[in-house]
Amino acid sequence: MREDISFPADDGVTLRGWFYRPDGATGPTPTVVMAHGFSATKEMHLDDFAEVFADAGLSVLVYDNRNLGDSDKPVPGEIDPWQQINDYRAAITWASLRDDVDADRIGIWGSSYSGAHVLVVAAIDRRVKCVVSQVPLISGSENARRLIRSDHFAALRQALDADRVARYQGEKPGMIPVTWEKSPDEQCVLPTADTHDFFFGPIRERAKTWRNEVTLRSVDLFLAYEPGFYLPLISPTPLLLVVAAGDHLTPADIALKAFEQAAEPKKLLLLPGGHFDAYVGDAFKQSSPVQRDWFLTHLT
């Protein structure tokens, strides 16, 4: 059973999403908290994962990040990783206060940008009893240098600095497309062809609230974000890291190298295909049962 829910973040911003309760469940249940990646909304296949987990007897809280989707938008299109980390922790608190949730058996799930966030949350919040991180960002600076041509970096830095001055002087935040729409030559944050194909593909029929723009400040924050630092600090919380072998958006080699830094208990699942293949098709069929069983093993 799925119900629409809303809850306040620590600063009063309202976050909205879904709460899945397993059919036939009685009493408090183990629960998984989920949010999506960079600019993405919950309709972009999070319901597919949540249904797999709920069918196995887990409750699931799925919500849109602030400034995106159905959640409040005090700064539309602003993606602040540390704010989203705090919102994960608020979501855990809200879930733990429900009578039908077992507060001692809460896991977290994230993918891509939120796959980075759950690494941080699992390291700093011991209420988390296990974590699944799918195709995660490991290093904002290293990832950016894979995505952005070196001769474009100076112009990008100038644009970010100019935007900072403009905002300081009271102007509205500058905006930039998430991905290109008509030509790969368009300036955007995520310039890969599979990013374009995902966001402008069939998923748009499901994700009506997605917008192809974020603030320039979101890029500045991305460049300074280093979630891989927290990997050695996650233990003893069990970690499942899911990597797509052909991922060049959050490159597989960076994630595989980072996995070595995590202490036990940990598990690596290597999937075929690229970054967005992890959400659909054979990769989803292979991955979702492993993720489900990870939560069942460590939450039940």
Side-chain angles (χ1 to χ4, degrees):
M1 180 181 70
R2 186 178 92 180
E3 62 175 307
D4 294 334
I5 55 90
S6 64
F7 60 94
D10 291 344
D11 59 356
V13 169
T14 298
L15 305 175
R16 297 180 179 86
W18 304 314
F19 188 81
Y20 289 77
R21 175 81 172 163
D23 292 339
T26 58
T29 55
T31 300
V32 177
V33 175
M34 304 176 62
H36 220 316
F38 195 91
S39 89
T41 61
K42 62 186 183 300
E43 293 83 6
M44 293 175 167
H45 300 298
L46 291 200
D47 48 344
D48 297 331
F49 286 93
E51 288 168 7
V52 170
F53 302 155
D55 287 345
L58 300 164
S59 290
V60 187
L61 169 59
V62 182
Y63 67 94
D64 278 328
N65 289 304
R66 68 170 63 209
N67 301 320
L68 303 170
D70 290 324
S71 290
D72 279 0
K73 303 174 183 61
V75 186
E78 180 95 317
I79 301 176
D80 183 333
W82 292 103
Q83 208 165 49
Q84 292 184 349
I85 286 166
N86 287 333
D87 290 346
Y88 255 105
R89 302 185 76 182
I92 293 168
T93 300
W94 180 82
S96 69
L97 293 173
R98 288 180 61 111
D99 292 337
D100 54 1
V101 168
D102 186 337
D104 294 323
R105 295 189 291 169
I106 291 179
I108 54 176
W109 182 99
S111 187
S112 195
Y113 213 38
S114 67
H117 303 344
V118 295
L119 299 176
V120 180
V121 175
I124 64 178
D125 196 326
R126 292 303 167 189
R127 295 176 299 172
V128 175
K129 297 304 185 288
C130 72
V131 54
V132 172
S133 175
Q134 176 177 273
V135 293
L137 173 80
I138 298 297
S139 167
S141 59
E142 188 173 1
N143 212 105
R145 293 191 180 277
R146 298 286 188 95
L147 294 174
I148 303 170
R149 281 174 40 182
S150 59
D151 58 332
H152 287 181
F153 248 100
L156 173 63
R157 179 50 61 191
Q158 289 176 357
L160 296 178
D161 291 345
D163 177 67
R164 182 179 292 273
V165 171
R167 287 185 286 106
Y168 187 81
Q169 294 175 334
E171 297 182 24
K172 291 183 178 181
M175 307 298 289
I176 185 171
V178 177
T179 188
W180 55 275
E181 186 170 353
K182 296 180 180 178
S183 168
D185 295 329
E186 296 171 17
Q187 186 183 47
C188 60
V189 184
L190 306 177
T192 65
D194 57 346
T195 304
H196 166 270
D197 293 346
F198 177 78
F199 283 114
F200 285 101
I203 197 64
R204 292 209 73 179
E205 293 301 312
R206 300 176 62 181
K208 301 290 188 181
T209 60
W210 180 76
R211 298 291 179 266
N212 187 31
E213 62 176 8
V214 296
T215 63
L216 276 169
R217 182 172 181 265
S218 302
V219 181
D220 208 4
L221 292 165
F222 180 101
L223 291 170
Y225 187 34
E226 298 295 329
F229 170 83
Y230 290 87
L231 270 164
L233 307 179
I234 294 173
S235 179
T237 303
L239 164 67
L240 172 61
L241 191 70
V242 182
V243 177
D247 193 339
H248 52 259
L249 184 61
T250 54
D253 63 296
I254 299 177
L256 292 171
K257 182 178 178 181
F259 180 72
E260 298 174 4
Q261 301 173 22
E264 298 288 348
K266 63 180 181 178
K267 181 176 181 177
L268 175 68
L269 175 61
L270 189 61
L271 299 176
H275 187 84
F276 296 99
D277 292 320
Y279 300 100
V280 296
D282 291 340
F284 172 80
K285 293 176 183 177
Q286 177 184 345
S287 177
S288 58
V290 177
Q291 297 182 26
R292 174 202 65 203
D293 293 346
W294 188 256
F295 285 126
L296 290 175
T297 296
H298 297 287
L299 296 182
T300 63

